[in-house]
């Protein structure tokens, strides 16, 4: 029960990694605000957690929706103490074929969306002189990936955002860290060719793809008191794939 009484907001909580993060916070006593593009997408996660959780609709690429959703969370649940920026999309294609729209969309959701949510929680966290922000980046933000120039740029940008927020608000008792998952079995990776999945399994020393629970464990650690003296860090959760 590490998070009893804490208000936690998780974006992209409808499925995959975000759902698992929200569920684990719920299991450890948190009041969880589960966000997804539509309230009905996030509702099953909130229902699975129970009465302490609520669902909110919020497209993180829309500043008006972000501000409205976080204002509603504060009214209904109290000020957000822990923010997990997990919402993300891919629009993979080779650079030569990548449209400006594909590039902008991925940056707008993955990077600017996180920045919008950080801004929305900054005032209450500074007032409380306590806060935890965890950004879900990716190993491709550290290494790059062919066919993912937009996605890798957004995930590298998240690491820069993490470092800057850590420096800017550390003196106010707020930490900001990132996680960089490798290949995690979710809808986002369901389309990967069998051959590619096998290669990941063969290459990673831990010999398997990751699960949402693998990522959630690291996120909850970064939000916990045990990580109270850590900020600006990026934890790689990839089964050793990038070693
Ligand atoms: P997923 O299954 O595709 O889920 C994506 C989540 O993001 C959904 O909850 C979706 O909500 C939400 N979302 C998408 N666009 C949004 C928007 N504009 N505004 C608000 N929410 C939005 O993805 P996942 O695999 O769980 O990935 C979660 C995070 O981990 C992403 O940031 C991803 O880049 C990162 N990651 C994943 C992997 C992996 O291998 N899976 C590896 C490294 C990093 P709706 O249901 O409403 O669409």
């Amino acid at each position: 029960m590490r998070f009893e009484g804490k208000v936690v907001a998780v974006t992209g909580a409808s499925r995959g990694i975000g759902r698992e993060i929200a569920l684990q916070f719920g299991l450890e006593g948190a009041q969880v605000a589960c966000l997804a593009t539509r309230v009905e997408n996030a509702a099953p996660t909130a229902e699975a957690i129970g009465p302490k959780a609520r669902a909110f609709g919020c497209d993180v690429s829309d500043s008006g929706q972000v501000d409205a959703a976080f204002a509603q969370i504060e009214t209904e649940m109290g000020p957000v103490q822990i923010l997990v920026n997990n919402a993300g999309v891919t629009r993979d294609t080779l650079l030569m074929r990548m449209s400006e729209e594909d590039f902008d969309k991925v940056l707008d959701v993955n990077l600017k969306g996180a920045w919008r949510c950080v801004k929305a929680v900054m005032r209450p966290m500074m007032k409380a002189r306590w806060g935890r922000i965890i950004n879900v980046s990716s190993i491709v933000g550290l290494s790059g990936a062919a066919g993912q120039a937009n996605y890798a740029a957004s995930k590298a940008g998240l690491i820069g955002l993490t470092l800057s927020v850590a420096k800017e608000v550390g003196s106010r008792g707020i930490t900001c860290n990132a996680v960089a998952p490798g290949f995690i079995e979710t809808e986002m990776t369901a389309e990967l060719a069998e051959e590619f999945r096998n290669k990941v399994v063969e290459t990673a020393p831990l010999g398997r793809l990751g699960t949402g629970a693998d990522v959630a464990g690291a996120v909850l650690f970064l939000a916990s008191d045990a990580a109270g003296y850590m900020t600006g860090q990026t934890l790689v959760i990839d089964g050793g794939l990038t070693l």
Side-chain angles (χ1 to χ4, degrees):
M1 286 299 183
R2 287 178 291 178
F3 302 103
E4 190 85 59
K6 288 274 192 286
V7 177
V8 183
V10 183
T11 68
S14 59
R15 56 177 191 265
I17 295 170
R19 178 177 160 91
E20 193 56 40
I21 292 169
L23 293 176
Q24 288 203 17
F25 270 117
L27 280 174
E28 295 216 37
Q31 291 170 252
V32 192
C34 305
L35 295 102
T37 53
R38 293 158 167 271
V39 66
E40 56 268 33
N41 296 358
T45 306
E47 279 158 25
I49 295 169
K52 278 187 308 190
R54 280 170 198 252
F56 299 88
C58 169
D59 179 339
V60 296
S61 67
D62 181 326
S63 299
Q65 287 192 35
V66 170
D67 291 344
F70 280 87
Q72 200 185 345
I73 294 169
E74 185 156 352
T75 305
E76 292 182 14
M77 305 177 79
V80 171
Q81 292 153 298
I82 300 169
L83 167 67
V84 183
N85 282 312
N86 165 79
V89 292
T90 50
R91 285 203 179 176
D92 297 352
T93 188
L94 293 174
L95 197 68
M96 295 294 283
R97 292 196 198 123
M98 192 176 285
S99 67
E100 193 165 340
E101 196 201 340
D102 285 340
F103 190 85
D104 288 348
K105 174 73 185 171
V106 171
L107 269 288
D108 203 15
V109 174
N110 297 8
L111 178 56
K112 218 169 156 192
W115 168 78
R116 289 184 184 97
C117 295
V118 169
K119 279 195 73 164
V121 299
M122 203 37 71
R123 210 180 291 276
M125 282 188 183
M126 283 171 84
K127 207 170 155 197
R129 301 192 76 80
W130 196 93
R132 296 276 185 270
I133 298 167
I134 297 114
N135 295 320
V136 181
S137 178
S138 165
I139 52 167
V140 306
L142 296 163
S143 62
Q148 290 197 306
N150 48 1
Y151 182 76
S154 74
K155 295 299 182 179
L158 270 178
I159 293 172
L161 177 72
T162 301
L163 291 163
S164 303
V165 173
K167 287 188 171 179
E168 198 166 315
V169 296
S171 63
R172 310 297 183 105
I174 302 165
T175 70
C176 183
N177 292 287
V179 292
F183 289 91
I184 310 299
E185 285 199 272
T186 68
E187 277 179 43
M188 191 179 265
T189 48
E191 290 162 14
L192 287 178
E194 194 63 26
E195 194 187 334
F196 187 69
R197 297 165 73 89
N198 291 342
K199 189 149 179 40
V200 171
V201 171
E202 274 168 32
T203 314
L206 293 184
R208 62 173 176 85
L209 299 185
T211 64
D214 291 323
V215 181
V219 169
L220 268 72
F221 163 68
L222 289 171
S224 75
D225 289 341
Y229 198 53
M230 281 178 68
T231 197
Q233 303 303 307
T234 298
L235 290 187
V236 174
I237 305 147
D238 69 348
L241 184 65
T242 52
L243 291 178

